[in-house]
Each structure stands twice: as C-alpha cells, then as structure tokens.
Amino acid sequence: MKTSAYEIIKKKRDGQTLTEYEIKWFIDSLVSGEVKDYQMSALLMAIFLNGLDVFETAALTDAMLNSGTTLNFNDEKVIDKHSTGGVGDKTSFILAPIAAACGVKVPMIAGRGLGHTGGTVDKIEAIPGFNVSIDTNSFKKKLDELGLVLIGQTKDIAPADRIIYGLRDVTATVESIPLITASIMSKKLAEGTSGIVMDIKVGSGAFMKTLADGRKLAKSIQNTATRFGRNIFTIISDMSQPLGTHIGNSLELIECFEILKGNIENDLSELSLELAGAMVYLAGISKTHAKGKQMAKSALTSGKALEKFKEMIISQGGDSAVIDNYDIMPLAKCRYDVVAKNSGFITTIDCERVGMMIVDLGGGRRNVGDKLDYGVGMIIDKKVGDKIKKGDVIVTFFYNQNQESLVGALADEFGTKVIKVGQGKPKQSRPLIIETMEKWSK
Amino acid sequence: MKTSAYEIIKKKRDGQTLTEYEIKWFIDSLVSGEVKDYQMSALLMAIFLNGLDVFETAALTDAMLNSGTTLNFNDEKVIDKHSTGGVGDKTSFILAPIAAACGVKVPMIAGRGLGHTGGTVDKIEAIPGFNVSIDTNSFKKKLDELGLVLIGQTKDIAPADRIIYGLRDVTATVESIPLITASIMSKKLAEGTSGIVMDIKVGSGAFMKTLADGRKLAKSIQNTATRFGRNIFTIISDMSQPLGTHIGNSLELIECFEILKGNIENDLSELSLELAGAMVYLAGISKTHAKGKQMAKSALTSGKALEKFKEMIISQGGDSAVIDNYDIMPLAKCRYDVVAKNSGFITTIDCERVGMMIVDLGGGRRNVGDKLDYGVGMIIDKKVGDKIKKGDVIVTFFYNQNQESLVGALADEFGTKVIKVGQGKPKQSRPLIIETMEKWSK
C-alpha cells in the first residue's frame, strides 16, 4: 500500500472516510517527522469540519496510543478517573484517597494546566518535596503497596498526543468530539487500567458548553473504551460555576484537606463521592454505584481517606506535616475582600473568567513552560442562587504585594462583570450531577 | 483593535466572515513570522471548506499584494497574460512577441513548474545564456525599449503568496477558487499592468476539472481585477488533452519557433492568437477583439513576431542563433516511437499523466529545487478524435541512454492506458476556446 499526507488530507477534506492504515500511517509519520506539523494542522481542521466516524475515531485512538509505550496491570481493581477539566476542579485529591481506602488501585497520570483550567500535577506540587517524576517500576510498586500514586505525564506515553494537542491549542481545533475522544482515550488506554470513570463537564467553564455536546462526547468515549475492552462509567456534571470555593494551587489543596477532615460538605465533596463511588463499583468492590457511594462516604468520615492521602504524600517525598499546618505551602501574603454593592440573588458567575483571573495573577499558565505562583488565588464562598446583602464579601483575592493595581482592576471587574446580581430568586438551575451512564465491555 | 491567529482561525472555522483588518493582520503576521505555518495551514483548510466571499477575497488579495513591493507603469498599453496552467501550455512564447509586435507592452513575470504543469521560466532557460534575473530598473527600461521582457518571480513581489502557495501545495488546499484568485491576482496586481488577459483552463489536465468551476474562478478573478481598477479579458479554454504537440522544455520552444515561422498551424497557434488578440484589444490598440486577432495574425505571418522574439533573446543575453539552429538547445539523444496496436479513433488522452511522465523523465519537478533536464520530452502528434491505423506512431519519447528501462515502461503505459482508442468516431468534443468574457473597470 502506498499513501501520502497529501492524499490523506485530501480525502478527509472531501468528506471521505479514512482507512485504519491511512490514519496509522499519518500518525506514525507525524511522530517520525516525515509528516510536518503544518500538514497535521490542515488535517486537524479537515477533521474538525468533516468529522470522524466511530471506526476512524477508534483507529486514531489506536494510532496515538501505540505511538508510545503502554502499561498493562491485568488487574480489575486498577481504575482511573478522568475529568474534561473545569475551574476549581480538584476532585482527584479527594476521590483518589477515598477510592484507594476502599481497595481500588488508583494510578493517576495527571497533566499540567494551560489556560483557564488548572492542572492536578501543578496543584500537588504546592506541597513541598512532592515528587511527580517516578519511573515505571516504582510507579507499579507504589500502586501495589499503597493503591495510590500520582505522577505527571511522561514523554513515553502517547507522544503523538503531545504533538497534536500542542497544535490543536493554537489552531482552533480543540472543541472536536473525535479529537477530544482520541486525545483522552489514547492516554487513558496507554495507562492500562481495567476501567475508567469519566467526569464530563458541561457549561460556561467547560470545553463542552452544552449538554448535547457533553452527551455526544460521553457516547464517543464510551464507544472507544468498550471497543478497547475497558469498562466505563460516565458522569456528566455541571461546570457553569467554579467547583468548590477555593481556586489557586495551594488554596485548592487546603479545601481538599478540609473536606477529607470532614470540616466541609459542598458541591466539591458531593461530586468527589459520586466519582469515587463509581470507581469502587467499576473495580467490582461494590455491587452497585449506590453501594459504592456509601463505602466512599464511610472512607471519608472514618478518616481513612485522609490517612491514605498522608501515606501517598510520604511515599512520594512530600512533607506530610502540611495536613496539620497549611502554612508549609506557599500562600500569598495579601488579601482583598470584594463586597457586594447591592443586595439580591446571584444569577451567574463567569467561570471561564475566574479561571483566567488565576492566570492573570500568575497561578496558571498562558504558555507552556510558564512558572507558577502556587500561593495566589481566590475564595468564592457564594454559589448561583445564593441570596446576598449589600456589603457581604463575594470574593477574597490572595495576591502578592506588587500586584496591588492588578488586583484593584480584577476586584472591580469581579464585582461588576463576573458575578451578576439580580432581584428575583433565579429559577432552580440544573443539578450538579446531571446524569450518569455505565457500559461494561465484559 | 486586538486580534489573534486563534480567533481568526476560529471565526473562519465557524463559517463567519473575516474583516479586512483580520485578514491583513493574519497575512502581515505570517510574513513577519508571528503567525506560524501550521496556523496558516489550518486557516487555509478552513477557507477551503467554508469559503471566502468577494470582499474577503479582495482583502486577501490586497494583503498578499501589499506584503511586498509593487510596480506601477501608469501606461494603458502595459498588459499581462496569465494562464492557470496546463500540459504543453507554451502560449506565452507565441502571444508575447505577437502582442509586442502590435504595440502592446508585455512585462512577463513568470513562474517555474511544479508537478504536472511546466513553467515558462524553465522552458526559456533551455536557450543558452538567457537571463531571467533582471533588476527592476533594467526590467522597466527593456519593457520601454522593446515592449517585451521575461523575468522570473522575484522575492520582493507578493512574498506572502510564496509562503502560502508552498503550504497549499502540501496540504491539499490548492483547488480553492478564492485562494487561487488571491494567489494569481496578488502577483498580477503587484506587476502594475493596466489590464490582464486570463486563460482559464478546464478539463482533466487543469486544476479546474469542470467548466462550472472554471466559470466560478473567472467570475471571482474578474471581480477582484475590477475592484482594483484593472481591465480584464478572460478566455476559458479546454485542457482535456495536451496543448500543441511538443512537451518538454527544449521541445516546446522548438514548436513555438515553428509556429512563429509560419510552419505549423494547430490548437496552440489558435489559442495564442486568441489571447494575443485580447491583449491588443485590452491595450486599446484595436477597437474589438476580432480586430485584435486580425492584427495578431498579421504580426505572425509578417515575421514581425519572430523578429520581436529574437530581439528579446538578444536583450536578455541569450544566443539568438537558436532560432535557426535548434541544436544549440539541450536535446536528448535517444528516440523511441510508440505505435498503435489497433486501428480506430483516439477517444481520450490522459493529460495529467502525460505531464507527470515529463517529471518521471526529469524534465519537470517533483520538489521545489529539483534540477531539470531540458532535453527530454515527448511529441504527441495526435489529437482526440483523430483516426489512427495500427502501426501509426502515437508518441515519440526523447530520453537519455540510461533511461532505457524507464522509457520502456512509460511507452507501454502510454500505449495501453494514456491514449484510449475506440472503434466509433467520438462525438464532437467541446471546442478549444470554450468562451470569452471581458470586463472594463473604467
């Protein structure tokens, strides 16, 4: 068989279906350098506009998956979770120790943040000494012993995805369901888990803005997962406002510790338990999702989950004293409370702008390679629908002394544009957990 | 105003209309290096699939035109001709001296060949000593004195087009009417002529395969030309078989000299006179196109056109003895006649494959920068509809001694696949000159 980048791009441009061989040839040649990035980006745009069917999506996933090394645990208790990303999304730090405390083995290979959504790896690094660079052997050993390990993405896993993601990010080809599916699944399948719990977020702060698109993505991911012999449990959750109250690297860990200590119950703890319960269920430890959630809840209230988190911190070289002394983590010295100018009900919170404010403060990345300030952030102790009185604190900014004027501008913008206050109580918005789906491959 | 490559790609991806500012910003940033080639190729694919309206096409042309230096002759007698390219297309060498002999000033800034269509600059370089690298001052001087000058494309004229064309060629985004329009017109407008004669070719050997697409391109180019104050005369001509009989660099010049000497009359001379007549008409030298063609015919039969060609060769450092002694040009030593295996009528000639056979022989380029063999080529003395007898020569290959086995394979392919012979006389195919259009801007 003979093909060329030109012929393959042309076929997809003309709305034809690519063969498995053509997709594999293109991806292999991209990684080897024979196909150029400007050819990949032309194909990405053609895929964005003309789509990929389920077979093409599976072939793309397969080609990206096999562009690097793959792990294989051969253990039905090894379950991974993936979130499509949102503002204030820190469920991993809560659900992973909970699930591990219930007997699930949780190998977290997590990403760094870019743009308005933060990264799990960035957040955990706020703990002094915590090491996310662990070789494959130690990774497997720690998973076996502790049931819980958290590392950063390695260059060996799905290298094609790294190239493609970098291009999508600058060529306006991110929001494509087949491309998102292949990107997520190539990494998740390479990690060799028996099952995957997906948290697909929809709403203004998510990549998928509408529930319809969220459902399409869920379906596409389910199809790909089962085609590759993995069980999958999908939760579609709301991301029209930040999850939890704390945003910013150190601040988000503090909120997680507080939940694991049983000091806070909120939307974040609710979603974390839902996801952890699904992991317990998928691992075959509980007979139903509801039972899984019960077990998750017990692991949380008994303090076993917090203990598990502590063990992981120690296991990965971090200072576990952080749990009782948050001051070990970097935290910005200055605080600024923004108060409501009017009484009324909160009607909307511009989630994406909140995420970008963290970037503005230096807590997130505008470009790959930007250094982070772990200590900056925001606490937003209000939710859409809450009744507020004039003078109530609606957000607290955490910032550094040299950021006075920036924070002044952000505070002003927050009070006038990010949070909208209306007079009537807004009608009940959709629930946090919008719907769940499960699909077993065996 | 603030914009970004991402925002502009996204708008076109979503089928929105780009502003003049956005298009100019993108092209300027591409030339300066701020916008990357992989972003340009994503935009090209989005344009290919979602189109550009007439205003966007004009804005793109304008931005590409102004990416480099522009000439301005302020002379209504300065008329250029452009062909969208085809196999055996060598009209420039005939129509330019004819038009110049009639008083038109013809500044030819011509390209090199890539793929199945040869380039005018490549062909003229078969004449020993002929120099196509001439600075702008000498260019204008020669045009004034002689009315005829032929140079290669310079780096200064429409540099954005060079980058974009290079990308289109490898990302399957060539056959887009707005992109073709902007590419052609940015160069032609930069050359500062008062009028342009366009030869739009349609058929299996052309970029535009159908008459409908050819008409769309003609319309798009007309709109852009008049929007920029240029008069335009468009001829849509057939390219379903090679034009003339000789293909290959030296061989094509030989055919042109024979026509200018009055020794041959064929489809090539017919189209050349049609185009030259349009140039005479557009320059205001004749009142009608028909009169222009009469004047062109006189310039040919009187030998004035041949004399003009000779003057140009001398003016540009070439050896004008070539006109009476073709052996001065490189010509391959070996000949191979392919004869018809059956009697009948020629039903089709695969034009594009003929062009690629020249590339196979080394007479055309597969990649930019390939060296050419000027001496190889083919003579196909038959046309679609011709009656042939078994044993008649249907093509003669001109090749080098070390190409025996290659030519054996090509000869076999030519006899069985490139030329198709049927029993009944094929019904009259469409004429060479399919239709003409004119549009005056003042």
Side-chain angles (χ1 to χ4, degrees):
Chain A
M1 271 187 285
K2 212 184 129 191
T3 188
S4 71
Y6 187 95
E7 286 306 321
I8 293 169
I9 299 169
K10 186 165 180 270
K11 266 182 93 169
K12 185 43 69 185
R13 177 197 86 186
D14 295 341
Q16 294 174 50
T17 304
L18 301 178
T19 66
E20 202 177 328
Y21 173 79
E22 286 166 338
I23 290 172
K24 185 167 167 47
W25 182 91
F26 205 97
I27 299 301
D28 287 353
S29 304
L30 174 72
V31 174
S32 75
E34 197 188 330
V35 163
K36 304 302 178 193
D37 50 7
Y38 46 79
Q39 294 177 310
M40 186 74 227
S41 65
L43 181 64
L44 289 169
M45 183 57 78
I47 290 174
F48 190 103
L49 292 170
N50 287 337
L52 292 180
D53 68 23
V54 287
F55 300 100
E56 290 174 294
T57 304
L60 179 60
T61 306
D62 197 29
M64 286 164 64
L65 161 66
N66 288 309
S67 70
T69 55
T70 55
L71 303 175
N72 196 349
F73 294 108
N74 280 321
D75 182 344
E76 70 160 8
K77 292 204 163 46
V78 180
I79 305 291
D80 198 5
K81 166 254 165 191
H82 184 79
S83 156
T84 56
V87 176
D89 182 13
K90 41 193 126 38
T91 56
S92 292
F93 304 118
I94 303 165
L95 64 87
I98 290 175
C102 295
V104 181
K105 289 183 181 170
V106 189
M108 280 186 288
I109 304 186
R112 296 192 182 275
L114 190 66
H116 75 281
T117 63
T120 298
V121 164
D122 295 327
K123 293 170 190 173
I124 199 77
E125 284 183 339
I127 300 174
F130 198 99
N131 174 26
V132 295
S133 303
I134 290 173
D135 66 62
T136 310
N137 283 339
S138 314
F139 178 74
K140 285 190 168 179
K141 195 158 160 271
K142 282 179 195 300
L143 181 66
D144 237 32
E145 290 170 6
L146 199 63
L148 184 58
V149 58
L150 195 174
I151 66 167
Q153 262 146 29
T154 71
K155 293 202 169 174
D156 312 334
I157 289 192
D161 179 63
R162 228 165 338 103
I163 303 173
I164 293 171
Y165 198 85
L167 286 172
R168 286 168 59 207
D169 203 47
V170 293
T171 57
T173 50
V174 169
E175 308 91 335
S176 152
I177 285 169
L179 293 177
I180 294 173
T181 302
S183 176
I184 292 173
M185 295 310 285
S186 63
K187 284 177 292 191
K188 291 293 138 188
L189 294 169
E191 291 166 15
T193 62
S194 77
I196 300 159
V197 173
M198 275 297 307
D199 178 15
I200 293 181
K201 297 190 179 295
V202 295
S204 61
F207 285 120
M208 298 286 115
K209 304 293 178 203
T210 67
L211 179 55
D213 278 347
R215 281 181 181 140
K216 274 188 218 159
L217 179 60
K219 190 103 186 155
S220 175
I221 284 176
Q222 270 194 353
N223 284 337
T224 308
T226 50
R227 196 175 287 278
F228 284 88
R230 312 302 161 91
N231 305 321
I232 183 148
F233 194 102
T234 307
I235 292 173
I236 298 184
S237 68
D238 181 60
M239 180 40 68
S240 55
Q241 57 184 325
L243 191 62
T245 52
H246 293 43
I247 310 144
N249 299 288
S250 295
L251 286 171
E252 295 195 27
L253 280 176
I254 291 172
E255 186 179 6
C256 293
F257 288 132
E258 288 296 299
I259 285 174
L260 288 168
K261 287 174 184 174
N263 296 339
I264 304 179
E265 275 188 29
N266 61 11
D267 54 350
L268 174 62
S269 58
E270 182 191 346
L271 180 59
S272 300
L273 286 167
E274 188 85 13
L275 291 163
M279 293 172 81
V280 172
Y281 171 50
L282 222 53
I285 295 168
S286 70
K287 284 263 190 293
T288 63
H289 182 211
K291 282 267 183 218
K293 280 194 280 187
Q294 275 174 26
M295 288 178 69
K297 180 85 183 168
S298 302
L300 174 65
T301 49
S302 66
K304 281 185 186 159
L306 181 63
E307 187 55 34
K308 199 47 107 176
F309 199 162
K310 188 173 181 176
E311 285 169 25
M312 181 182 75
I313 294 173
I314 295 166
S315 156
Q316 298 196 223
D319 185 348
S320 67
V322 69
I323 293 172
D324 298 309
N325 181 10
Y326 302 147
D327 291 344
I328 287 178
M329 291 189 287
L331 203 56
K333 293 280 169 295
C334 309
R335 316 276 155 101
Y336 187 100
D337 287 338
V338 180
V339 296
K341 289 202 174 70
N342 301 300
S343 299
F345 293 92
I346 295 178
T347 53
T348 57
I349 301 177
D350 180 346
C351 203
E352 195 161 336
R353 185 64 194 114
V354 168
M356 285 312 293
M357 282 187 171
I358 300 294
V359 176
D360 291 340
L361 287 165
R365 279 186 198 85
R366 215 172 287 278
N367 296 301
V368 179
D370 285 355
K371 282 252 170 198
L372 296 187
D373 183 337
Y374 297 102
V376 297
M378 300 153 78
I379 294 179
I380 307 171
D381 207 7
K382 303 285 180 225
K383 294 284 163 187
V384 171
D386 282 2
K387 187 171 184 177
I388 55 167
K389 289 205 303 284
K390 183 175 171 178
D392 278 358
V393 174
I394 49 177
V395 59
T396 305
F397 282 95
F398 290 69
Y399 65 101
N400 302 307
Q401 217 147 14
N402 60 354
Q403 296 179 308
E404 288 285 346
S405 67
L406 168 65
V407 167
L410 295 180
D412 188 50
E413 183 187 348
F414 195 95
T416 54
K417 290 187 190 155
V418 174
I419 276 197
K420 291 272 167 67
V421 177
Q423 285 322 304
K425 188 168 166 61
K427 68 179 198 307
Q428 180 69 32
S429 60
R430 65 183 169 205
L432 175 64
I433 315 289
I434 301 169
E435 56 195 39
T436 68
M437 281 163 277
E438 59 187 273
K439 198 164 174 189
W440 297 74
S441 76
K442 47 210 158 197
Chain B
M1 272 191 283
K2 213 182 130 193
T3 189
S4 71
Y6 187 95
E7 286 305 320
I8 293 169
I9 299 168
K10 185 164 182 271
K11 266 183 93 170
K12 186 43 67 184
R13 176 197 88 187
D14 295 341
Q16 294 174 49
T17 304
L18 300 179
T19 66
E20 201 178 326
Y21 173 80
E22 286 165 339
I23 291 172
K24 184 167 168 45
W25 182 91
F26 205 97
I27 299 302
D28 287 352
S29 304
L30 173 71
V31 174
S32 75
E34 197 189 329
V35 163
K36 305 300 177 193
D37 50 8
Y38 47 77
Q39 294 178 308
M40 186 72 229
S41 66
L43 181 64
L44 289 170
M45 184 56 79
I47 290 173
F48 190 103
L49 292 170
N50 288 336
L52 292 180
D53 68 22
V54 287
F55 300 101
E56 289 173 296
T57 304
L60 179 60
T61 307
D62 196 30
M64 287 164 66
L65 160 67
N66 288 308
S67 69
T69 54
T70 55
L71 304 175
N72 197 348
F73 296 106
N74 279 321
D75 182 345
E76 70 161 9
K77 294 209 162 43
V78 180
I79 305 290
D80 198 5
K81 168 256 166 190
H82 184 80
S83 156
T84 57
V87 177
D89 182 13
K90 42 193 126 38
T91 56
S92 291
F93 304 119
I94 304 165
L95 64 85
I98 290 176
C102 295
V104 181
K105 290 184 181 169
V106 189
M108 280 185 289
I109 304 185
R112 296 191 181 276
L114 191 66
H116 75 282
T117 63
T120 298
V121 163
D122 295 326
K123 293 170 191 173
I124 197 78
E125 283 181 340
I127 300 176
F130 197 100
N131 175 27
V132 296
S133 303
I134 290 173
D135 67 60
T136 310
N137 282 339
S138 314
F139 178 75
K140 286 190 170 179
K141 197 158 158 273
K142 282 179 198 298
L143 182 66
D144 238 30
E145 288 170 6
L146 198 64
L148 184 59
V149 57
L150 196 174
I151 65 168
Q153 262 147 28
T154 70
K155 294 202 169 171
D156 312 333
I157 289 191
D161 179 63
R162 225 162 344 98
I163 305 172
I164 293 171
Y165 197 85
L167 287 171
R168 284 169 60 206
D169 203 48
V170 292
T171 57
T173 49
V174 169
E175 308 90 336
S176 153
I177 286 169
L179 293 177
I180 294 173
T181 301
S183 175
I184 293 173
M185 295 309 285
S186 64
K187 283 177 294 194
K188 291 293 139 189
L189 294 169
E191 292 167 14
T193 62
S194 78
I196 300 159
V197 173
M198 276 295 310
D199 178 15
I200 294 181
K201 297 190 178 296
V202 296
S204 60
F207 286 120
M208 298 286 114
K209 304 293 177 202
T210 66
L211 179 55
D213 278 348
R215 282 183 180 140
K216 273 188 217 156
L217 179 60
K219 190 102 185 153
S220 175
I221 284 176
Q222 271 195 350
N223 284 336
T224 308
T226 50
R227 199 174 285 280
F228 284 89
R230 312 300 162 94
N231 305 320
I232 182 148
F233 194 101
T234 308
I235 293 173
I236 298 184
S237 67
D238 181 59
M239 181 39 70
S240 55
Q241 57 185 327
L243 191 62
T245 51
H246 292 42
I247 310 144
N249 300 287
S250 296
L251 286 170
E252 296 196 27
L253 281 177
I254 292 172
E255 186 179 9
C256 293
F257 288 133
E258 288 295 301
I259 286 174
L260 288 169
K261 288 174 185 174
N263 296 337
I264 303 180
E265 273 189 33
N266 61 10
D267 54 348
L268 173 61
S269 59
E270 183 192 346
L271 180 59
S272 300
L273 286 168
E274 187 83 14
L275 291 162
M279 292 171 81
V280 172
Y281 171 48
L282 223 50
I285 295 169
S286 71
K287 284 263 190 294
T288 63
H289 182 212
K291 282 266 183 215
K293 279 194 278 187
Q294 277 175 23
M295 289 179 69
K297 181 85 183 167
S298 301
L300 174 65
T301 49
S302 66
K304 283 187 187 158
L306 181 63
E307 188 55 34
K308 199 48 105 176
F309 200 161
K310 188 173 181 177
E311 285 170 24
M312 181 182 74
I313 295 173
I314 296 166
S315 155
Q316 297 196 222
D319 186 348
S320 66
V322 68
I323 293 173
D324 298 308
N325 180 11
Y326 301 149
D327 291 343
I328 287 178
M329 291 190 285
L331 201 57
K333 292 280 169 295
C334 309
R335 314 278 154 101
Y336 187 99
D337 287 338
V338 180
V339 297
K341 290 201 175 66
N342 301 299
S343 298
F345 293 91
I346 295 178
T347 54
T348 56
I349 301 177
D350 181 346
C351 203
E352 195 161 337
R353 185 64 193 114
V354 167
M356 286 313 291
M357 283 187 171
I358 300 294
V359 176
D360 293 341
L361 287 167
R365 280 185 197 86
R366 216 172 286 278
N367 295 302
V368 179
D370 285 355
K371 282 252 172 200
L372 296 187
D373 183 339
Y374 296 102
V376 297
M378 301 154 78
I379 295 179
I380 308 171
D381 208 7
K382 304 284 180 223
K383 293 283 161 184
V384 171
D386 282 3
K387 187 174 187 177
I388 54 168
K389 286 203 306 283
K390 184 176 170 178
D392 278 357
V393 175
I394 50 176
V395 59
T396 305
F397 283 94
F398 290 68
Y399 65 102
N400 302 306
Q401 215 147 16
N402 59 355
Q403 296 180 308
E404 289 284 346
S405 66
L406 168 65
V407 167
L410 294 181
D412 189 50
E413 183 186 350
F414 195 95
T416 54
K417 290 187 189 154
V418 173
I419 277 198
K420 292 270 166 65
V421 176
Q423 284 322 304
K425 186 169 166 63
K427 67 177 199 306
Q428 179 69 34
S429 60
R430 67 182 167 206
L432 175 65
I433 314 289
I434 302 169
E435 55 195 40
T436 67
M437 279 163 277
E438 58 186 275
K439 200 165 173 189
W440 297 75
S441 76
K442 45 212 157 195

